[in-house]
């Protein structure tokens, strides 16, 4: 690939130019009295990169690090600004200890394979920690079926007590294959729900407002996938596993932060 193509084809590469030019061009040009031509600059940069290709890698790594720091800072601010809706909204399911001293928020989708794996981690955390409060945010990002399941689940929360809803949540999340309205209603019916009321409530303004709130929260936190978690002021993306989550919960109790 030609150098010009590399710079023109990648935003990340273009961002690297400043660092490269600063190293390769500025110092040599201080000794020149004439203004260098574009071709001369391109040759200096080309020759420097050929001789020191690791500069591009280092610059990209540093840019990536800075972007991650900026993203983490932005998410922390969003958590602070949306704290009440994140942790205490009436439009959410709370499982575990409702008066727990640490709250773990999970954004999930009933069709998410990684969420299905993470279900065991959540159950283990709750079973082993009597002071843990878990907030479930139904974030249907995997298609129409996920939206339908979210509508039924959100409506069912109005019928079931938290313990019963948690049973529904586990059964539906453990359902094999695609999950949609039919699967959600079948599980709810199995657990004794009033399905006629359930279907009516699923289309209510309250249910739509609840799902909209979660979507807005996810957008403010720059979440694009599930599962994603909020613990304290930290946003954790992905099915990171039981032990990392437990360590962060322990730290939250120990020092008030996820990393002590």
């Amino acid at each position: 690939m030609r150098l010009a193509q590399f710079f023109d084809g990648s935003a990340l590469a273009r961002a690297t130019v400043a660092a490269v030019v600063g190293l390769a061009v500025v110092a040599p040009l201080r000794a020149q009295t004439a203004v260098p031509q574009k071709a001369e600059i391109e040759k200096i940069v080309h020759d420097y990169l050929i001789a020191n290709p690791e500069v591009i890698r280092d610059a990209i790594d540093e840019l990536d690090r800075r972007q991650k720091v900026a993203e983490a800072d932005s998410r922390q601010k969003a958590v602070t600004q949306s704290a009440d809706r994140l942790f205490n909204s009436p439009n959410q399911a709370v499982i575990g200890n409702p008066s727990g001293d640490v709250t773990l928020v999970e954004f999930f989708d009933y069709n998410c394979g990684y969420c299905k794996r993470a279900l065991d981690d959540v159950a283990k955390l709750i079973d082993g920690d009597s002071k843990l409060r878990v907030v479930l945010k139904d974030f249907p990002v995997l298609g129409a079926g996920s939206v339908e399941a979210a509508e039924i689940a959100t409506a069912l929360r109005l019928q079931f007590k938290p313990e019963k809803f948690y049973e529904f949540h586990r059964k539906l999340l453990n359902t094999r294959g695609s999950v949609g309205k039919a699967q959600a209603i079948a599980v709810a019916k199995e657990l004794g729900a009033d399905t006629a009321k359930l279907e009516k409530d699923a289309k209510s303004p309250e249910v739509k407002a609840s799902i909209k709130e979660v979507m807005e929260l996810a957008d403010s936190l720059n979440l694009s996938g599930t599962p994603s978690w909020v613990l304290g002021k930290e946003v954790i993306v992905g099915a990171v596993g039981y032990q990392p989550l437990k360590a962060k919960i322990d730290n939250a109790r120990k020092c008030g932060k996820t990393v002590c």
Side-chain angles (χ1 to χ4, degrees):
M1 180 182 291
R2 294 179 57 192
L3 185 62
Q5 292 174 320
F6 178 78
F7 289 150
D8 289 341
S10 167
L12 194 58
R14 289 196 300 271
T16 306
V17 173
V20 173
V21 171
L23 288 171
V25 177
V26 174
L29 292 182
R30 285 175 180 168
Q32 299 180 13
T33 56
V35 177
Q37 298 299 309
K38 181 174 180 290
E40 295 173 353
I41 295 176
E42 287 182 347
K43 185 177 187 310
I44 294 171
V45 173
H46 173 273
D47 292 347
Y48 184 84
L49 291 179
I50 293 299
N52 304 276
E54 68 278 2
V55 169
I56 293 178
R57 179 200 61 210
D58 294 344
I60 290 174
D61 288 346
E62 176 60 18
L63 181 60
D64 182 58
R65 185 193 68 79
R66 293 185 187 185
Q67 288 176 333
K68 288 179 178 177
V69 169
E71 186 176 68
D73 289 344
S74 175
R75 282 173 168 165
Q76 285 186 358
K77 291 177 182 177
V79 169
T80 300
Q81 293 169 354
S82 305
D84 194 47
R85 290 196 303 163
L86 264 173
F87 301 111
N88 302 306
S89 173
N91 300 321
Q92 62 189 23
V94 177
I95 58 177
N97 185 340
S99 302
D101 61 349
V102 173
T103 297
L104 175 67
V105 179
E106 179 187 8
F107 288 78
F108 70 94
D109 184 306
Y110 281 113
N111 280 303
C112 167
Y114 292 104
C115 298
K116 295 177 186 293
R117 297 182 198 175
L119 179 62
D120 289 339
D121 298 329
V122 173
K124 189 175 179 181
L125 287 168
I126 291 174
D127 291 343
D129 189 340
S130 62
K131 294 183 178 181
L132 179 64
R133 177 175 180 263
V134 177
V135 170
L136 299 176
K137 299 283 191 184
D138 203 327
F139 180 35
V141 292
L142 296 177
S146 294
V147 174
E148 293 172 357
E151 290 173 345
I152 297 298
T154 303
L156 188 64
R157 181 169 43 79
L158 304 176
Q159 286 192 40
F160 280 0
K161 292 182 177 180
E163 297 81 3
K164 194 76 169 178
F165 180 82
Y166 183 33
E167 186 177 357
F168 164 84
H169 174 74
R170 286 180 294 171
K171 282 182 175 292
L172 187 57
L173 202 49
N174 275 323
T175 300
R176 290 182 178 274
S178 298
V179 171
K181 179 180 177 180
Q183 291 77 12
I185 289 178
V187 173
K189 183 177 180 179
E190 179 186 341
L191 296 176
D194 181 340
T195 55
K197 184 178 187 303
L198 188 60
E199 290 199 57
K200 180 181 177 181
D201 289 346
K203 298 301 180 183
S204 69
E206 292 80 8
V207 166
K208 293 185 181 298
S210 179
I211 295 174
K212 180 182 178 183
E213 179 182 271
V214 175
M215 302 299 282
E216 289 174 349
L217 284 170
D219 185 58
S220 71
L221 296 170
N222 195 26
L223 303 181
S224 58
T226 53
S228 292
W229 321 79
V230 179
L231 182 61
K233 291 186 178 181
E234 183 181 359
V235 176
I236 307 156
V237 177
V240 296
Y242 166 79
Q243 197 57 51
L245 289 174
K246 183 179 184 303
K248 290 179 182 294
I249 291 167
D250 291 343
N251 284 339
R253 288 200 178 97
K254 180 180 178 181
C255 67
K257 298 183 293 184
T258 55
V259 178
C260 293

